[in-house]
Every structure is written in C-alpha cells, then in structure tokens.
Amino acid sequence: MEKNNHLLKNALAKLPDYTPDESCWDSLSRNLDELPLKAALKKLPEYEPDEMLWGMIASKPAVKKNSKIRQYAAAVILIAGITGIWLLGKNNEKQIAFSQEKQDKRLQTTAEQITDQQYQKLKAYCETETLICTSRDYRQLQHEYEKLAGAAAELQEAIGAYNTEPELIRQFATIEQQKAEVLNEMAKMI
C-alpha cells in the first residue's frame, strides 16, 4: 500500500519514550478522588449504544485502524518537527536593517555667521580709524570677540555635518549671542 512504509516504521522506532514520575501519577490519582470530580461524574448521563454498533466495532479489527492513526500521527509530528527545526535555523541568519532621517535645518549651523561678517567690517573700519581701535577697552572687546569666535568654531566642528545633539546647538546659539553683544559694544565705541 505505502511505498516507504519501512522508513516510517524506522522513524517511529527512533522516537524517544517518556515515562512520567511516580509523583505525577500520585497527583493524578489524588485529583481523581476529589469530591467535586466525583460529584460531576455521578451527574453524567449513561448511554448504551445499539447492538448493531457493537457488532460493527467487533467486525473491524481495531489494531489496524489504531496503527494507521499512529502512523499518520507520527508522520505529522515528524513533518512538524523537521519544519520547526528548519524555521529555527532560518531565523538565525543575520538581518540587515536601515533607516533614514531627515535633517532638521533648525539644528544646523552655517559656516559663516552674520556676526563674523560684521566683525570683519568693523576691523576694516578700524584700519582707517586708528585712534579708537588702539584704546585698551576696544582691544579687550576685540580679544573677547576672537576668543568667543574660536569657541564657536570648536563647537561647530564638534557639531559636524549631521548634528544629533540639540544641546550643542543651544551652546552655539549662546556663544553667537555673546558675540553679538560684544560686537555691539565695539560698534558703540566707534
């Protein structure tokens, strides 16, 4: 009937047997003796099948039907096991994932700031008007501005092309505001 009957029998013979512990059987027998189960069993209706049904059961050999069911069950278990192992092996492969983020223009700094352009204009004006630019206060403000410009350049380098830290932008904005204040003081002196 079946072409590979011997392969199925060999596979079934290799399946491991399992015998539960005695504590498991003891627990089951204790649970069967409990009062709610006994009460429920007494309430079950009794049913007696027709004689014809008993005759049909007796005429067919139960062993062959039972063995075929076992064979089919073993085949299903075997196929399910192989499929499960194959799927587990397939999930162990490395996965590659990527994502894209849009750049927020508000978190980016420009290379040339307006304050730097205004400072260059003041510096060019100072080259023609030397009296005010040589004063000690003006030189101190100029030194402070250059110090702030250096700090801004370092921060801009730390920020890089793809800023991901808003705190750096806040610090950069604070430095730019301080530069603007110093620049205003310098302009007032002129």
Side-chain angles (χ1 to χ4, degrees), residues 108-117 145 149 152-154 156-157 159-161 172 176 179:
Q108 302 307 314
T109 61
T110 57
E112 188 68 28
Q113 297 296 323
I114 296 171
T115 53
D116 292 336
Q117 293 170 356
Y145 182 86
E154 286 178 19
Q156 199 164 18
E157 188 178 317
I159 289 170
F172 185 77
E176 284 300 315
K179 279 172 51 180

Side-chain angles (χ1 to χ4, degrees), residues 100-110 159-164 169:
Q100 292 181 344
E101 293 185 23
K102 294 200 177 204
Q103 184 177 8
D104 190 353
K105 297 291 183 192
R106 297 173 297 167
L107 296 179
Q108 302 307 314
T109 61
T110 57
I159 289 170
Y162 307 105
N163 180 30
T164 57
I169 290 295

Side-chain angles (χ1 to χ4, degrees), residues 79-171:
I79 290 170
I82 290 171
T83 305
I85 291 171
W86 179 71
L87 288 175
L88 284 174
K90 191 174 183 180
N91 286 343
N92 288 337
E93 295 174 6
K94 292 184 178 179
Q95 304 260 337
I96 297 174
F98 73 95
S99 66
Q100 292 181 344
E101 293 185 23
K102 294 200 177 204
Q103 184 177 8
D104 190 353
K105 297 291 183 192
R106 297 173 297 167
L107 296 179
Q108 302 307 314
T109 61
T110 57
E112 188 68 28
Q113 297 296 323
I114 296 171
T115 53
D116 292 336
Q117 293 170 356
Q118 297 301 324
Y119 177 71
Q120 292 303 324
K121 286 181 184 178
L122 275 177
K123 199 172 182 183
Y125 180 75
C126 271
E127 288 176 4
T128 60
E129 191 70 38
T130 57
L131 183 63
I132 297 171
C133 296
T134 55
S135 72
R136 190 174 146 244
D137 290 337
Y138 188 84
R139 290 261 182 219
Q140 187 178 1
L141 286 173
Q142 190 176 16
H143 180 68
E144 187 177 338
Y145 182 86
E146 289 173 0
K147 201 173 184 183
L148 286 169
E154 286 178 19
L155 250 178
Q156 199 164 18
E157 188 178 317
I159 289 170
Y162 307 105
N163 180 30
T164 57
E165 297 183 38
E167 181 60 34
L168 291 178
I169 290 295
R170 276 190 224 107
Q171 290 175 5

